[in-house]
Every structure is written in structure tokens, then in C-alpha cells.
Amino acid sequence: MFAGSHQLTIDEKGRLAIPARFRQHLNEQSGPQVVITKGPDQCLQVYPVPEFRRITDQIMCMEDQERAEVLKFAFVGLAVETEVDKQGRVSLPLMLRRQVQLESSAVLVGQINRLDLWSETLWTEKLSEVQPRLQDAFRNLKR
């Protein structure tokens, strides 16, 4: 499971060092292979390959073909399969970085089955936006 967040720096070549605990979980799921794409928020999503394939299988089975085409166009169409190198880094394509205003300061956030990569500025804004709804969300959680 991916949980927690890390403030990180993207180097001048567009590479991001994945923290060791996240790398370990990725390796257990799919070895060094990952899929990076743009999700519904202003962030990149990093998936172990099996999880990404599970989602694409769901897209292929959707009854609403119009929505399926939107997901294929944006979510699948922007996806890049890559691998974590021996130094624990992953290359982030410039096109994807531009989509989410990702420059050098970033926050990598565990989201149970994936990692979200935010620009530090947009992550701070999103956190402020979500904070007022957090108490209500917890009330709906059966614990």
C-alpha cells in the first residue's frame, strides 16, 4: 500500500527519485516498470503496471462508450510506460510535466494503489481545498 507524502525535487533532466519505501512496494507489484499518466486532478499519477492494466480493462468494459472514449483519449493516451532506474529515479516526460505545471519542487503522495505527483504549489492549494471537507469524509467512514 502507498501511504504518506514526500517533498522532492525534479532534476534538470526531468528525473524524480522515488523514496525507498515506495520503490519497494513498486518492485513487489511490478518490478521496475511503472505507468505515468495524467489523472482527473492537476497531478500526475504513477501506477504499478498491473494496477494500470486493471483500470484499462475496466475502461474497455464500460457501457458508456462516450465516457470510455474520454478516458482512453486522456488517461490512456497520455500514459507512458517507463521504469525506475538503478538509482531509484524515474524520468518524467516534459509533455506530462507541462500538463500539471510540474517544475522542480514536487510532492509525491501515496494514494493506496498509486502515487500522485503534484507541483508543491498545486498540492498546497488542493490540501487547503480538501481540508474543510475532511471531517465530513471521516464521518462516512466505518471504523
Side-chain angles (χ1 to χ4, degrees), residues 23-143:
R23 269 196 329 266
Q24 179 182 354
H25 189 62
L26 283 168
N27 276 326
E28 291 168 2
Q29 298 245 328
S30 61
Q33 300 292 338
V34 295
V35 177
I36 303 170
T37 191
K38 166 87 173 58
D41 287 318
Q42 278 299 107
C43 67
L44 298 182
Q45 295 182 332
V46 181
Y47 288 93
V49 173
E51 180 64 17
F52 184 78
R53 288 199 179 123
R54 186 187 66 75
I55 295 167
T56 58
D57 288 347
Q58 287 180 20
I59 292 169
M60 294 300 293
C61 294
M62 287 176 70
E63 288 184 25
D64 185 335
Q65 284 301 299
E66 188 175 327
R67 286 187 172 143
E69 288 302 317
V70 168
L71 289 168
K72 285 192 284 186
F73 180 80
F75 182 74
V76 178
L78 290 173
V80 175
E81 190 168 339
T82 188
E83 67 179 51
V84 179
D85 69 16
K86 289 182 169 99
Q87 286 78 38
R89 301 170 303 192
V90 65
S91 288
L92 305 168
L94 181 59
M95 181 176 70
L96 287 176
R97 285 185 279 142
R98 285 183 178 158
Q99 289 277 325
V100 297
Q101 303 168 30
L102 202 50
E103 293 177 15
S104 61
S105 295
V107 179
L108 189 63
V109 184
Q111 296 293 290
I112 301 172
N113 63 341
R114 69 171 194 268
L115 298 167
D116 284 357
L117 182 61
W118 291 84
S119 80
E120 189 171 357
T121 303
L122 291 178
W123 181 78
T124 302
E125 289 173 13
K126 181 70 172 185
L127 195 56
S128 294
E129 175 189 315
V130 168
Q131 195 65 39
R133 301 188 324 240
L134 188 58
Q135 190 174 35
D136 182 55
F138 267 111
R139 273 196 286 270
N140 288 299
L141 187 63
K142 293 181 175 150
R143 319 187 255 170

